[in-house]
Amino acid sequence: MLKLYDIAVQSRLLLGTARFPSPAILAEAVRRSKTEIVTVSLRRETSGGKASGAFFDLIRELGVRVLPNTAGCHSVQEAVLTAKMAREVFRTDWIKLEVIGHHDTLQPDVFGLVEAARILTAEGFQVFPYTTDDLVVAEKLLEAGCRVLMPWCAPIGSAMGPVNPMALRTFRAHFPDLPLIVDAGIGRPSHAAQVMELGYDAVLLNTAVAGAGDPASMAEAFALAIEAGRLAHSAVPLEPRDMAVPSTPVIGKAVFS
């Protein structure tokens, strides 16, 4: 069981809802992934005009918890305003906080991120910040009131997978009891299993599922990989060795001359 702020969930997969080929495919992907939490970009969906109403109706019909996000915001003011609008629309204090600082990598503006997190937590929001794997930034976010962190493993939508596993391992070790969700850059189920084996609590995906040839099947594949990675971490896998170790016992074997 994973507890995020005051809510407990079974699934460790959080699924984004953007760029799916159709509402029906999105609905099927959500069902097959067994996710309990989906992210929704208020800015992106409200820009769709009349279609946005049908989209929000679909999300409500799916019976999942909504984690609104501030995707597309490049300033503290934009992010805070978007978060307040999202709270009105979805009736939730949860917000996935993004303050983008670089147009090419979509890396967060960590200074703006901390400032926005401080403002929002003071106003009663429960903030899920999209951040880098920088430990100092992470500490500042905790000081600002965040109780969940969402470090990236690669640029958003890049599908590169963990580009710095050592940084992710160090991040996990530094915050052993804090809920940590890997967000951004995962492209394959094997990537998801890899970060779960490092001891992360959950994975947030969007492009890797929505952009697949069969999004619903890919969503199910990710769900299984995340479960496998979590189970493997709990089972304490062997660490790599620099030499061969025989799996067959050598003591007590018959000797033929």
Side-chain angles (χ1 to χ4, degrees), residues 4 14 128 148-151 179-183 200-204:
L4 302 172
L14 288 71
F128 294 66
V148 175
L149 296 178
M150 304 180 75
L180 298 180
I181 302 170
V182 171
D183 176 22
Y200 279 78
D201 297 289
V203 171
L204 194 155

Side-chain angles (χ1 to χ4, degrees), residues 93-165:
D93 290 327
W94 279 16
I95 191 72
K96 180 194 170 189
L97 182 60
E98 297 182 28
V99 183
I100 301 301
H102 194 278
H103 288 281
D104 293 332
T105 65
L106 301 181
Q107 179 172 327
D109 170 1
V110 295
F111 304 101
L113 181 68
V114 172
E115 183 181 349
R118 185 173 290 110
I119 293 169
L120 292 172
T121 55
E123 296 195 19
F125 283 89
Q126 296 176 325
V127 178
F128 294 66
Y130 161 61
T131 185
T132 63
D133 52 25
D134 187 292
L135 296 179
V136 177
V137 174
E139 292 284 7
K140 296 296 184 183
L141 288 167
L142 295 182
E143 290 173 10
C146 299
R147 294 295 173 261
V148 175
L149 296 178
M150 304 180 75
W152 71 348
C153 72
I156 292 172
S158 67
M160 291 191 295
V163 295
N164 193 345

Side-chain angles (χ1 to χ4, degrees), residues 5-246:
Y5 288 100
D6 56 344
I7 300 297
V9 294
Q10 294 280 356
S11 174
R12 294 176 183 268
L13 168 58
L14 288 71
L15 188 63
T17 56
R19 301 185 183 277
F20 279 83
S22 72
I25 291 175
L26 166 60
E28 183 63 16
V30 169
R31 283 190 286 268
R32 290 180 62 177
S33 71
K34 297 181 181 179
T35 184
E36 297 170 57
I37 301 170
V38 299
T39 64
V40 176
S41 170
L42 185 68
R43 286 168 60 93
R44 181 184 295 118
E45 298 306 332
T46 52
S47 67
K50 293 181 180 179
S52 62
F55 173 81
F56 292 144
D57 288 342
L58 171 63
I59 295 300
R60 294 185 183 98
E61 289 170 4
L62 290 172
V64 291
R65 177 170 288 274
V66 174
L67 173 59
N69 69 39
T70 62
C73 293
H74 291 261
S75 71
V76 172
Q77 183 179 9
E78 274 188 297
V80 170
L81 178 59
T82 301
K84 291 179 178 179
M85 293 171 60
R87 178 156 64 179
E88 291 299 317
V89 171
F90 294 106
R91 298 288 188 267
T92 179
D93 290 327
W94 279 16
I95 191 72
K96 180 194 170 189
L97 182 60
E98 297 182 28
V99 183
I100 301 301
H102 194 278
H103 288 281
D104 293 332
T105 65
L106 301 181
Q107 179 172 327
D109 170 1
V110 295
F111 304 101
L113 181 68
V114 172
E115 183 181 349
R118 185 173 290 110
I119 293 169
L120 292 172
T121 55
E123 296 195 19
F125 283 89
Q126 296 176 325
V127 178
F128 294 66
Y130 161 61
T131 185
T132 63
D133 52 25
D134 187 292
L135 296 179
V136 177
V137 174
E139 292 284 7
K140 296 296 184 183
L141 288 167
L142 295 182
E143 290 173 10
C146 299
R147 294 295 173 261
V148 175
L149 296 178
M150 304 180 75
W152 71 348
C153 72
I156 292 172
S158 67
M160 291 191 295
V163 295
N164 193 345
M166 182 56 68
L168 288 175
R169 188 186 297 272
T170 301
F171 202 97
R172 175 72 279 182
H174 193 72
F175 301 107
D177 302 317
L178 187 73
L180 298 180
I181 302 170
V182 171
D183 176 22
I186 287 179
R188 297 176 181 273
S190 56
H191 298 158
Q194 183 179 353
V195 298
M196 293 300 291
E197 286 177 6
L198 293 177
Y200 279 78
D201 297 289
V203 171
L204 194 155
L205 304 161
N206 190 169
T207 308
V209 173
D214 183 346
S217 292
M218 187 61 76
E220 184 176 355
F222 268 110
L224 293 170
I226 288 168
E227 184 178 347
R230 178 70 180 176
L231 186 60
H233 173 72
S234 300
V236 188
L238 286 174
E239 293 298 324
R241 299 163 174 169
D242 60 2
M243 62 182 295
V245 177

